Each structure stands twice: as structure tokens, then as C-alpha cells.
Amino acid sequence: MSKAPTAVEIRGYQVGFGDCFLLSFVYGTEKTKHVLIDFGTVKLPGKNAKPSQHMRAVAEDIRKVTGNKLTAVVATHRHKDHISGFATDNSNGKSGEIIRDLKPDLVLQPWTEDPRAARNARAPTADSSRSPKKLIEGLQSMHVVAEQIAALANQKPAWMGPLLQKQLSFIGEDNIANLSAVQNLMDMGKKTRAVWAHHGSDSGLEDLLPGVKVHVLGPPTLEQSSAIKRQRARDPDEFWNLLAGAAPGRSSVTVSRGVKKADSKKKSAVPPEARWFRDQLDRMRGQSLLQIVRTLDGQMNNTSLILLFEVCGKKLLFPGDAQLENWAYALRDAPNAAATQALLADVNLMKVGHHGSTNATPKGMLWDHLRNRMKPGKKKLTTMMSTMPGTYSGVPSTRLKSALTEETSLLNTNDLKGKDADLFIYTKIE
């Protein structure tokens, strides 16, 4: 086999609001090696789109392109819009079975997905509430809370307006643990090799991709930075006190008394003079739940892998949904932060983080330092964005999308027309 790839083909599949990127490293006329980065969705384009059909079609195309063999699978973090396609149940047409049959040689995930850490977290062994095991415990509890908030939103109580109901339902469902997908990823890793990475650690990919250098820029561990656990500006550990004793496996947990089981009994009438006060309390309850679920969402994004590939004399950046606290360690607080900024300055291709949200593409720390923006012709920075406007409030950011359009060569899955031939956006690096 050639000592290094002669080209890299990148496909960004149309999965609506989700991520699915296939990197194909071409070794001359010899064997091509394929790395799948994420495979998930929470909402597909088109009123009649069915995940059971569409995600299976995507998986079938991946099988076709790869010739029935994946070199590696990367799951940047546990959000549904990044891993639901790995499920082996009927929710996505058993698309995860197709990926599993491609027998990846490596499954790469962030350190927070290490099953040993999750198992140990049931009985915290450290006094510090900022310990890694305590964080894992919190992440597990997060799914219990998210599930109940999503269930409440789907009940559409009278006090919950349509916009709030949509926001709570979407973010809640995205944060529910997709057990089938999680188990499939774990099983694939057991059969070959599983790596749980953090800032500065070995990805395991270089052993499988000759001539490719891979940097793991995030997430940091809690020993490196406790900022990824931050929930509130004043007290990063206080948030979990709102969970009313949430713990993995408990189905009766309530969230700040905002989630209740369905009650068939008719509520007592509220006197006219008290209705204004009742409405204000309901509004406060809804906004509190929205604050909680948004914080849960940010917590998981802070555990996202950030990968930088150096290949063919070019640099390809895939940051998952990494947000500010995750980026801050790599670009500001780490001992090698200055070197990392210099490393990223001449990136040639960037997958836009978190579907185009502003906090996933920090302007001062990252965007302003990308020197290939606005360069002429083929030297111009290529960006790839998988998004679906109107799904999540403020995503994609109007300002960021304008900058991407004006200053880079933007490839956007939202521009696809929905035909079979438009199943993915595509570019080639040589």
C-alpha cells in the first residue's frame, strides 16, 4: 500500500438536523480506507420523510461507497442527532446493523463514553463533586431528566405554548440516551478496538491510516479543565441539585416539580382573581424547564470530540458539536494552546460545528485566526455544514451563515434538493 493517501473524498450526507460524514482516504490505485464520523438525525426534511427509510438508504449508500468495509467509526458525542443511525432497532430501519456489518477496525468516542467510567459512577469514589466519575454520573442522570421533559412536552399541557412545546420536545428528545445505538457502538468496539479519547491523547486512527496525522483537540478531561462541567456562571456544580434526586434507572423522578405523571382527575377550578397569578407561575415553570434542558444540551456538547486530520499536505477539522468551554481549553487554557492556534490557522476544510450555532465556532478564538478565509480560488477555506433551519432556535446563526457564504466555499446539506442523486454534499482534497 502507498505510504500516504493521494486524495481524500468527503461526503456529508443529508440527514436533516444531524451529522453524517464519510471520509475516504484514497491510496492511489490501491485500497481506499473509509472513516465514518457520526450518523444521526432528530429531524429529516420533508413532511413525509421517515427515518426508518431515509437512514437505511444512507447506510446502504455508505455500504456501496465503502465496498462493504469501514476502517473506523467515530461518534463525537452521545446526542441523538449524531448517533441515532447506529441503532439496530426499527426506529431507523436497522441502519445500525448495516454499519455493524461493515466491520470497522476501530470505534472512537470521547472519554466520557468509557463504559468502565459509567459503571463506576454508580458509586462515587471521590470527595470532589468535580471528579470524572461524578461527571459521568451526571451525564447518565441527564438522560432521565431529558426523557421526562420530552414526555411532558408531548402531553402539550394547557400552560405550555406551542413554541415552548416545540423547543422542549426537540432538545429533550435529542438528549435521551439512544440505548440501541449506544449498545451497538459498544459492541462494535468490543469486537475490534475501542478508543475513548481526550485532548492530546492517541486517537488510534494513525495506526490504520498510513501517512495521516490525527490530533485530538477535545474534549479535555476534568483534570485538564473543569470548565466542560460548567452549568452556571456562579456555581458549576449546583445545577444537579435541581434534578430532585435524579439517578440512572429511576423512572419516577420529577424535575423541579415540573414533570408529573398523567392525571385523569379533573383539576379544581381556579378563582378568577387567582388566574393571573396561576398563569405567571406556569410561565415561570416553562422557562425553568427550558433553561434546564438547554443546560443539559450544552453539557453533552462540551464532551464532543474535536479532531484535526493532516493529510495530502492539507488540514481537515471535524469538531462535532464542541462548544465554547471545550474550545477554550484547546485554544486558550492548555499548555500547548498557542501551538494549537497556529496549527489551526491554515486549516483547509472545516466541518461547521453544531449545525451552525455561534458558540460552536468561537469568533475570537477560532474564526478570526483562520487565514484561508477569503483566499482566491482553490486556496479558499472549504466549509461543510449539515443543518436544517427552523429546527432549533437560532441554528444556523444568520450572521455565521453569512460569514460562511461570503468568506468560505460553503457546502450546505440544506441546499440539496432531496433527490437520490443529492443524498450528500461532496468535495475532494488532493
Side-chain angles (χ1 to χ4, degrees):
M1 178 173 286
S2 302
K3 293 183 178 179
T6 58
V8 184
E9 297 179 340
I10 302 113
R11 292 170 174 82
Y13 283 90
Q14 172 59 286
V15 287
F17 198 94
D19 263 10
C20 180
F21 290 85
L22 182 66
L23 280 61
S24 301
F25 298 85
V26 182
Y27 288 86
T29 58
E30 302 173 51
K31 186 176 181 179
T32 298
K33 296 199 168 190
H34 307 273
V35 176
L36 178 62
I37 302 180
D38 290 333
F39 183 21
T41 185
V42 284
K43 188 174 183 180
L44 294 169
K47 293 182 180 180
N48 299 320
K50 296 180 180 180
S52 60
Q53 296 176 356
H54 185 86
M55 299 301 278
R56 186 174 181 86
V58 171
E60 291 285 6
D61 194 79
I62 292 172
R63 172 155 59 188
K64 178 182 176 181
V65 172
T66 62
N68 294 305
K69 176 60 182 175
L70 272 171
T71 299
V73 162
V74 178
T76 59
H77 60 299
R78 196 187 283 201
H79 268 155
K80 183 178 180 181
D81 60 323
H82 289 255
I83 68 165
S84 64
F86 295 115
T88 57
D89 57 20
N90 289 321
S91 61
N92 289 287
K94 297 186 178 182
S95 53
E97 288 188 354
I98 297 174
I99 302 302
R100 183 187 62 202
D101 291 344
L102 303 184
K103 298 180 180 179
D105 300 312
L106 172 72
V107 176
L108 175 61
Q109 296 178 268
W111 68 269
T112 51
E113 294 303 310
D114 187 338
R116 292 168 299 180
R119 183 169 60 250
N120 291 341
R122 296 176 184 173
T125 58
D127 293 332
S128 171
S129 60
R130 294 173 184 260
S131 70
K133 292 171 184 175
K134 192 65 175 179
L135 172 61
I136 300 296
E137 182 184 44
L139 292 176
Q140 300 303 316
S141 297
M142 179 192 76
H143 297 300
V144 178
V145 178
E147 184 175 14
Q148 293 193 27
I149 289 178
L152 176 68
N154 290 333
Q155 292 174 14
K156 299 180 180 180
W159 56 266
M160 186 182 293
L163 178 59
L164 178 61
Q165 188 272 335
K166 178 182 178 181
Q167 291 175 318
L168 288 175
S169 178
F170 171 77
I171 307 175
E173 290 179 6
D174 196 22
N175 280 281
I176 295 173
N178 190 333
L179 296 181
S180 177
V182 171
Q183 187 62 52
N184 192 29
L185 287 165
M186 191 180 302
D187 290 343
M188 286 191 289
K190 286 179 180 178
K191 290 179 180 179
T192 52
R193 182 187 177 193
V195 172
W196 298 283
H198 59 82
H199 176 88
S201 72
D202 182 7
S203 69
L205 291 169
E206 292 182 12
D207 298 336
L208 302 170
L209 301 170
V212 180
K213 187 172 182 59
V214 183
H215 305 266
V216 181
L217 304 181
T221 65
L222 289 182
E223 284 80 4
Q224 291 173 323
S225 172
S226 63
I228 64 165
K229 190 174 181 291
R230 183 167 296 133
Q231 302 296 335
R232 289 181 170 182
R234 289 184 300 171
D235 187 350
D237 298 318
E238 180 64 22
F239 177 78
W240 298 111
N241 293 338
L242 297 177
L243 303 192
R250 291 183 57 184
S251 60
S252 59
V253 176
T254 59
V255 183
S256 298
R257 302 188 181 186
V259 179
K260 299 179 180 180
K261 294 182 178 180
D263 188 357
S264 59
K265 295 181 180 179
K266 187 176 180 180
K267 294 183 178 180
S268 58
V270 178
E273 63 273 15
R275 289 174 185 169
W276 179 89
F277 185 61
R278 174 204 61 190
D279 293 342
Q280 299 306 306
L281 288 177
D282 284 341
R283 188 174 296 109
M284 290 172 61
R285 173 170 50 177
Q287 292 305 314
S288 294
L289 287 174
L290 185 58
Q291 180 184 3
I292 288 173
V293 79
R294 280 177 171 166
T295 306
L296 296 177
D297 192 60
Q299 173 83 340
M300 186 58 78
N301 286 334
N302 272 335
T303 71
S304 181
L305 285 170
I306 304 174
L307 301 178
L308 176 68
F309 296 82
E310 289 191 79
V311 57
C312 300
K314 305 290 177 61
K315 295 177 182 177
L316 320 178
L317 179 61
F318 284 81
D321 279 1
Q323 62 178 26
L324 192 60
E325 289 82 6
N326 196 337
W327 279 114
Y329 183 75
L331 299 177
R332 186 188 65 197
D333 302 331
N336 63 341
T340 299
Q341 278 214 354
L343 186 67
L344 294 180
D346 57 349
V347 158
N348 304 96
L349 180 142
M350 180 179 74
K351 196 285 291 192
V352 180
H354 197 210
H355 320 287
S357 71
T358 54
N359 67 351
T361 308
K363 189 175 187 302
M365 284 190 292
L366 178 64
W367 182 258
D368 290 344
H369 295 277
L370 300 177
R371 293 197 297 257
N372 287 330
R373 292 181 296 117
M374 297 182 287
K375 280 192 174 182
K378 294 183 179 181
K379 295 181 179 179
K380 193 174 188 179
L381 173 66
T382 297
T383 53
M384 302 182 78
M385 181 165 64
S386 180
T387 192
M388 188 174 171
T391 305
Y392 185 29
S393 179
V395 178
S397 161
T398 302
R399 289 186 178 181
L400 177 59
K401 185 180 178 183
S402 295
L404 290 166
T405 302
E406 296 169 6
E407 302 176 27
T408 77
S409 296
L410 174 63
L411 298 171
N412 188 351
T413 58
N414 195 57
D415 293 333
L416 297 173
K417 304 303 180 183
K419 300 177 182 178
D420 291 341
D422 289 330
L423 193 58
F424 53 81
I425 51 177
Y426 173 89
T427 190
K428 188 175 183 178
I429 302 294
E430 297 179 290

